[in-house]
Amino acid sequence: MAILDQLTSQQAIDLENKYGAHNYHPLPVVLTRGEGVYVWDIDGKQYYDFLSAYSAVNQGHCHPKIVNAMVQQAQTLTLTSRAFHNDMLGKFEKFACEFFGFDKLLPMNTGAEAVETALKLCRKWAYEVKGISENEADIIVCENNFHGRTTTIISFSNDPVARKHFGPFTKGFIKIEYNNLEALEIALKNNPNVAGFLVEPIQGEAGVYVPSDDYLIKAKALCELYNVLFIADEVQTGIARTGRLLATCGNCTCETKNCSDTPDVKPDILILGKAISGGVYPVSAVLANDSIMKVIQPGNHGSTFGGNPVAAAVAIAALEVVRDEKLAENAYQLGNLFRSELQKYIDKSSIVKLVRGKGLLNAIVINDDEDSETAWNICLALRDNGLLAKPTHGNIIRFAPPLVMTKDELLDCVGIIIKTLKQFE
Ligand SMILES: *Cc1c(COP(=O)(O)O)cnc(C)c1O
């Protein structure tokens, strides 16, 4: 078959199965086009995207402003490597530092790379500033975390599927229960070698676990007390997803007035990815103030593509869209509406236990065994009814539409979801 021949859905799936490694288990739907909150499959059927590429497409599919910035820059200069300067990187760094309230930014490409960067930065700070003896630095992480797929990152995962037969693993990580301040204090108290605490403000992959309102601020205070860096992985929660610019929100320029439900926390190290490009191009970043970032010197760390001019142009445009279209505010309003509408149904439902989340990062927990197929089957039925979502660990379905959604569209989606769930009662 010629490369430009239009495939049927089955042909596209067969090609992936035959020639692609089987490292994912996609929902059987083959998408060919996207615009805003919608995607279309090969047969022209339209769907609401309720995953947004794991919260990368917060600005909506193929946002014209972001795509235009990419096309313009791609026709001008795409890659210089960091062997030379380019005239876009500094603009991006300034924009993002001012936007999120930090002194400096280190650009990478994927979320996992940014997490790796943050871990290296934290350890180097521990040896050179805090004064921990060489090779002794520990980093505290949380159970059921998801921070990416590199060997070091899976070293502190507790998902057997992600870890099995990939060892030996990287040492120096201490795992504690999420949303447990006592566990954090114990881990900090008797160990002078702790360099950092790495945490997701909401555990997305684990099933959208929202910690108690005072968890992050008290965890940050404990970190300060023990001179330990508070590292926020906002790859999924960041950039307006949870109804504020950052789920931690300390010092950022978010104009929503909704930050009062959770106190502001300023991380020492902020990790961003996914929506920093609106899903148009792989861009990630680590932000920190000078007192920390100063430990990184030429040759310590880098990436051929990190900080390339296309990434810089795309990221500036993507962040401008978040600001100009007030996406944090919209996510806040629509998130409250989504949960309250679903709650009315759940009060009478036997198939759904609960809905939880913040802004437009939400999940429902299905009332069935962890290893049953119910969540998967509901997602197949949602697909048939025109809405795409995916189960996450156990019997949980995450709902994370693009943040450019309107109220009418959201209510339409709530209707589809409830209609579908009723088929399973
Ligand atoms: C997706 C994700 C990552 C990894 O990002 P990749 O771009 O897939 O490497 C890291 N942390 C969190 C919280 C994520 O959701």
Side-chain angles (χ1 to χ4, degrees), residues 110-113 115 146-148 200 205 233 235-236 274:
T110 67
E113 284 178 324
V115 173
F146 181 84
H147 297 286
E200 298 159 84
E205 293 307 301
D233 180 347
V235 172
Q236 190 160 153
K274 294 196 168 114

PDB file of all heavy atoms in Angstrom, residues 110-113 115 146-148 200 205 233 235-236 274, ligand 1:
ATOM      1  N   THR A 110      10.881  16.055  27.244  1.00  0.00           N
ATOM      2  CA  THR A 110       9.785  15.242  27.775  1.00  0.00           C
ATOM      3  C   THR A 110       9.667  15.421  29.283  1.00  0.00           C
ATOM      4  O   THR A 110      10.601  15.894  29.950  1.00  0.00           O
ATOM      5  CB  THR A 110      10.014  13.748  27.488  1.00  0.00           C
ATOM      6  OG1 THR A 110      11.147  13.311  28.233  1.00  0.00           O
ATOM      7  CG2 THR A 110      10.243  13.505  26.006  1.00  0.00           C
ATOM      8  N   GLY A 111       8.530  14.978  29.812  1.00  0.00           N
ATOM      9  CA  GLY A 111       8.320  15.058  31.252  1.00  0.00           C
ATOM     10  C   GLY A 111       9.357  14.261  32.024  1.00  0.00           C
ATOM     11  O   GLY A 111       9.919  14.741  33.016  1.00  0.00           O
ATOM     12  N   ALA A 112       9.609  13.031  31.562  1.00  0.00           N
ATOM     13  CA  ALA A 112      10.574  12.189  32.272  1.00  0.00           C
ATOM     14  C   ALA A 112      11.957  12.850  32.303  1.00  0.00           C
ATOM     15  O   ALA A 112      12.644  12.820  33.331  1.00  0.00           O
ATOM     16  CB  ALA A 112      10.658  10.819  31.610  1.00  0.00           C
ATOM     17  N   GLU A 113      12.344  13.472  31.219  1.00  0.00           N
ATOM     18  CA  GLU A 113      13.643  14.164  31.197  1.00  0.00           C
ATOM     19  C   GLU A 113      13.671  15.320  32.197  1.00  0.00           C
ATOM     20  O   GLU A 113      14.705  15.580  32.819  1.00  0.00           O
ATOM     21  CB  GLU A 113      13.912  14.753  29.816  1.00  0.00           C
ATOM     22  CG  GLU A 113      14.326  13.767  28.766  1.00  0.00           C
ATOM     23  CD  GLU A 113      14.508  14.461  27.425  1.00  0.00           C
ATOM     24  OE1 GLU A 113      13.740  15.393  27.123  1.00  0.00           O
ATOM     25  OE2 GLU A 113      15.426  14.076  26.701  1.00  0.00           O
ATOM     26  N   VAL A 115      11.926  15.459  34.975  1.00  0.00           N
ATOM     27  CA  VAL A 115      12.011  14.858  36.314  1.00  0.00           C
ATOM     28  C   VAL A 115      13.456  14.444  36.598  1.00  0.00           C
ATOM     29  O   VAL A 115      14.008  14.729  37.665  1.00  0.00           O
ATOM     30  CB  VAL A 115      11.050  13.655  36.447  1.00  0.00           C
ATOM     31  CG1 VAL A 115      11.277  12.934  37.768  1.00  0.00           C
ATOM     32  CG2 VAL A 115       9.599  14.113  36.343  1.00  0.00           C
ATOM     33  N   PHE A 146       3.617   8.619  39.882  1.00  0.00           N
ATOM     34  CA  PHE A 146       3.999   8.439  38.477  1.00  0.00           C
ATOM     35  C   PHE A 146       4.824   9.640  38.060  1.00  0.00           C
ATOM     36  O   PHE A 146       4.341  10.766  38.059  1.00  0.00           O
ATOM     37  CB  PHE A 146       2.799   8.282  37.537  1.00  0.00           C
ATOM     38  CG  PHE A 146       3.257   8.068  36.119  1.00  0.00           C
ATOM     39  CD1 PHE A 146       3.602   6.806  35.671  1.00  0.00           C
ATOM     40  CD2 PHE A 146       3.413   9.144  35.248  1.00  0.00           C
ATOM     41  CE1 PHE A 146       4.080   6.607  34.378  1.00  0.00           C
ATOM     42  CE2 PHE A 146       3.891   8.958  33.956  1.00  0.00           C
ATOM     43  CZ  PHE A 146       4.219   7.683  33.524  1.00  0.00           C
ATOM     44  N   HIS A 147       6.099   9.387  37.695  1.00  0.00           N
ATOM     45  CA  HIS A 147       6.958  10.488  37.260  1.00  0.00           C
ATOM     46  C   HIS A 147       7.614  10.214  35.916  1.00  0.00           C
ATOM     47  O   HIS A 147       8.473  10.992  35.489  1.00  0.00           O
ATOM     48  CB  HIS A 147       8.037  10.757  38.317  1.00  0.00           C
ATOM     49  CG  HIS A 147       7.491  11.209  39.641  1.00  0.00           C
ATOM     50  ND1 HIS A 147       6.987  12.467  39.860  1.00  0.00           N
ATOM     51  CD2 HIS A 147       7.369  10.561  40.827  1.00  0.00           C
ATOM     52  CE1 HIS A 147       6.583  12.585  41.118  1.00  0.00           C
ATOM     53  NE2 HIS A 147       6.798  11.440  41.736  1.00  0.00           N
ATOM     54  N   GLY A 148       7.256   9.105  35.244  1.00  0.00           N
ATOM     55  CA  GLY A 148       7.848   8.833  33.941  1.00  0.00           C
ATOM     56  C   GLY A 148       8.456   7.445  33.886  1.00  0.00           C
ATOM     57  O   GLY A 148       8.204   6.603  34.760  1.00  0.00           O
ATOM     58  N   GLU A 200       3.720  14.847  43.475  1.00  0.00           N
ATOM     59  CA  GLU A 200       2.694  15.333  42.542  1.00  0.00           C
ATOM     60  C   GLU A 200       1.613  16.036  43.378  1.00  0.00           C
ATOM     61  O   GLU A 200       1.079  15.430  44.309  1.00  0.00           O
ATOM     62  CB  GLU A 200       2.034  14.161  41.802  1.00  0.00           C
ATOM     63  CG  GLU A 200       2.952  13.340  40.929  1.00  0.00           C
ATOM     64  CD  GLU A 200       2.360  11.951  40.667  1.00  0.00           C
ATOM     65  OE1 GLU A 200       1.538  11.823  39.752  1.00  0.00           O
ATOM     66  OE2 GLU A 200       2.714  11.001  41.385  1.00  0.00           O
ATOM     67  N   GLU A 205      -1.925   9.696  37.529  1.00  0.00           N
ATOM     68  CA  GLU A 205      -1.952   8.320  37.028  1.00  0.00           C
ATOM     69  C   GLU A 205      -2.519   7.364  38.063  1.00  0.00           C
ATOM     70  O   GLU A 205      -3.169   6.383  37.730  1.00  0.00           O
ATOM     71  CB  GLU A 205      -0.538   7.855  36.648  1.00  0.00           C
ATOM     72  CG  GLU A 205       0.057   8.574  35.484  1.00  0.00           C
ATOM     73  CD  GLU A 205      -0.843   8.564  34.268  1.00  0.00           C
ATOM     74  OE1 GLU A 205      -1.184   7.471  33.783  1.00  0.00           O
ATOM     75  OE2 GLU A 205      -1.220   9.661  33.824  1.00  0.00           O
ATOM     76  N   ASP A 233       6.206  17.969  40.914  1.00  0.00           N
ATOM     77  CA  ASP A 233       6.020  17.472  39.545  1.00  0.00           C
ATOM     78  C   ASP A 233       4.637  17.904  39.084  1.00  0.00           C
ATOM     79  O   ASP A 233       3.634  17.272  39.408  1.00  0.00           O
ATOM     80  CB  ASP A 233       6.173  15.946  39.504  1.00  0.00           C
ATOM     81  CG  ASP A 233       5.978  15.396  38.082  1.00  0.00           C
ATOM     82  OD1 ASP A 233       5.494  16.141  37.209  1.00  0.00           O
ATOM     83  OD2 ASP A 233       6.300  14.209  37.866  1.00  0.00           O
ATOM     84  N   VAL A 235       3.824  18.163  35.865  1.00  0.00           N
ATOM     85  CA  VAL A 235       3.729  17.811  34.445  1.00  0.00           C
ATOM     86  C   VAL A 235       2.267  17.606  34.045  1.00  0.00           C
ATOM     87  O   VAL A 235       1.844  18.011  32.967  1.00  0.00           O
ATOM     88  CB  VAL A 235       4.578  16.561  34.129  1.00  0.00           C
ATOM     89  CG1 VAL A 235       4.327  16.063  32.709  1.00  0.00           C
ATOM     90  CG2 VAL A 235       6.067  16.858  34.318  1.00  0.00           C
ATOM     91  N   GLN A 236       1.484  16.997  34.939  1.00  0.00           N
ATOM     92  CA  GLN A 236       0.066  16.768  34.627  1.00  0.00           C
ATOM     93  C   GLN A 236      -0.861  17.809  35.263  1.00  0.00           C
ATOM     94  O   GLN A 236      -1.859  18.197  34.670  1.00  0.00           O
ATOM     95  CB  GLN A 236      -0.351  15.357  35.093  1.00  0.00           C
ATOM     96  CG  GLN A 236      -1.715  14.950  34.612  1.00  0.00           C
ATOM     97  CD  GLN A 236      -1.962  13.437  34.640  1.00  0.00           C
ATOM     98  OE1 GLN A 236      -3.080  12.999  34.765  1.00  0.00           O
ATOM     99  NE2 GLN A 236      -0.924  12.637  34.507  1.00  0.00           N
ATOM    100  N   LYS A 274       4.125  18.341  29.241  1.00  0.00           N
ATOM    101  CA  LYS A 274       2.812  18.213  28.633  1.00  0.00           C
ATOM    102  C   LYS A 274       2.260  19.544  28.081  1.00  0.00           C
ATOM    103  O   LYS A 274       2.663  19.951  27.010  1.00  0.00           O
ATOM    104  CB  LYS A 274       1.846  17.539  29.611  1.00  0.00           C
ATOM    105  CG  LYS A 274       2.280  16.087  29.881  1.00  0.00           C
ATOM    106  CD  LYS A 274       1.222  15.219  30.512  1.00  0.00           C
ATOM    107  CE  LYS A 274       1.655  13.755  30.471  1.00  0.00           C
ATOM    108  NZ  LYS A 274       1.912  13.141  31.771  1.00  0.00           N
TER     109      LYS A 274
HETATM  110  C1  LIG B   1       3.195  12.316  32.007  1.00  0.00           C
HETATM  111  C2  LIG B   1       3.918  12.558  33.277  1.00  0.00           C
HETATM  112  C3  LIG B   1       5.321  12.477  33.355  1.00  0.00           C
HETATM  113  C4  LIG B   1       6.173  11.990  32.216  1.00  0.00           C
HETATM  114  O1  LIG B   1       6.073  12.773  31.077  1.00  0.00           O
HETATM  115  P1  LIG B   1       6.560  12.176  29.661  1.00  0.00           P
HETATM  116  O2  LIG B   1       6.489  13.347  28.745  1.00  0.00           O
HETATM  117  O3  LIG B   1       5.588  11.086  29.296  1.00  0.00           O
HETATM  118  O4  LIG B   1       7.925  11.647  29.850  1.00  0.00           O
HETATM  119  C5  LIG B   1       5.923  12.817  34.554  1.00  0.00           C
HETATM  120  N1  LIG B   1       5.201  13.186  35.631  1.00  0.00           N
HETATM  121  C6  LIG B   1       3.852  13.257  35.591  1.00  0.00           C
HETATM  122  C7  LIG B   1       3.110  13.695  36.815  1.00  0.00           C
HETATM  123  C8  LIG B   1       3.166  12.936  34.431  1.00  0.00           C
HETATM  124  O5  LIG B   1       1.827  12.985  34.395  1.00  0.00           O
END
